[in-house]
Structure formats: C-alpha cells, structure tokens
Amino acid sequence: NIGLLEDYNTRAPRGERVYVGDFVVALNGKTEPKDILAEIKDKEKACLDFVVEPAEGFVVELARPTGASFGLALKLKKRGSVTNACMAVALVKIDGIADTHNKDNPAEALAVGHRFV
C-alpha cells in the first residue's frame, strides 16, 4: 500500500518529484508557515496543491556559441513576505542549449522551478 506522495513520484518526471528535505514554499496559494500548517490541518480540503523547491543543488555549466540561445525562459521568484528573491527556470525550450544538456545529462537536467543561486 503506497501513499499518495509515493504514487505521485512514480508518475512524475524527475525534475518534478518530491524528496525528503525538499522545501514546501507554498500550499494552496499560502506562503506563510502558519497558513500552510492551517491548510494541512483543514480536514475539509479535498486537494492540496504544493509548491516544492528541491533541497539539493548541482552545478551546470553551459557553453553558448556566438548568437546561440541557451533555450531557457527565466522568472524572478519571490518567497512569502521574506525579501528573498532569485531567478528560476520558467521554461526549457526544445532544441536549445539547455535542452541538449538535459538529453546528454539526465541526472543533472534543468527543469522548471530550478533556482539560480
């Protein structure tokens, strides 16, 4: 008998799986810890929509020939009321340098939501 999260992880792509130590940064649109806890405790909630950020990091070095595109769309990501913003991957474009890197290095693939630190 597997749990809901384990079931989700068996179906999710590698970059979207949830692991021990990952950070829950939002739940059902709530970003403050006390509000997240209240959402979890609310027995009336039929669905929990988590936003999770990975705990582990890795280094990726991409070389870009003159005029080529990295093939990444980025966005500024803010967390709760804390002034703690970073750049995050919003999209990995097909046939860009990042997509080629992902195909050649699946264990270190760049995915939507990965942060630049």
Side-chain angles (χ1 to χ4, degrees):
N1 187 10
I2 65 173
L4 293 175
L5 187 57
E6 188 176 354
D7 179 54
Y8 168 82
N9 278 345
T10 61
R11 295 179 283 108
R14 183 186 179 282
E16 296 177 18
R17 294 178 190 159
V18 180
Y19 298 99
V20 172
D22 285 352
F23 298 98
V24 175
V25 296
L27 177 65
N28 293 348
K30 311 290 187 199
T31 57
E32 295 298 325
K34 65 179 176 54
D35 298 331
I36 290 174
L37 186 57
E39 288 289 306
I40 291 171
K41 289 182 175 182
D42 185 348
K43 295 189 187 306
E44 298 299 313
K45 297 286 181 184
C47 181
L48 298 177
D49 183 19
F50 287 87
V51 176
V52 179
E53 292 187 7
E56 287 188 25
F58 55 93
V59 176
V60 173
E61 184 175 327
L62 301 174
R64 177 174 60 177
T66 303
S69 169
F70 282 119
L72 290 171
L74 306 176
K75 67 179 178 180
L76 184 63
K77 191 169 190 177
K78 297 179 183 176
R79 290 199 275 181
S81 61
V82 179
T83 310
N84 185 10
C86 63
M87 294 302 296
V89 176
L91 175 70
V92 179
K93 298 175 184 175
I94 295 173
D95 294 330
I97 294 169
D99 183 50
T100 300
H101 162 82
N102 286 353
K103 290 173 184 169
D104 293 343
N105 304 280
E108 295 178 348
L110 293 168
V112 172
H114 283 173
R115 298 171 290 151
F116 289 77
V117 294

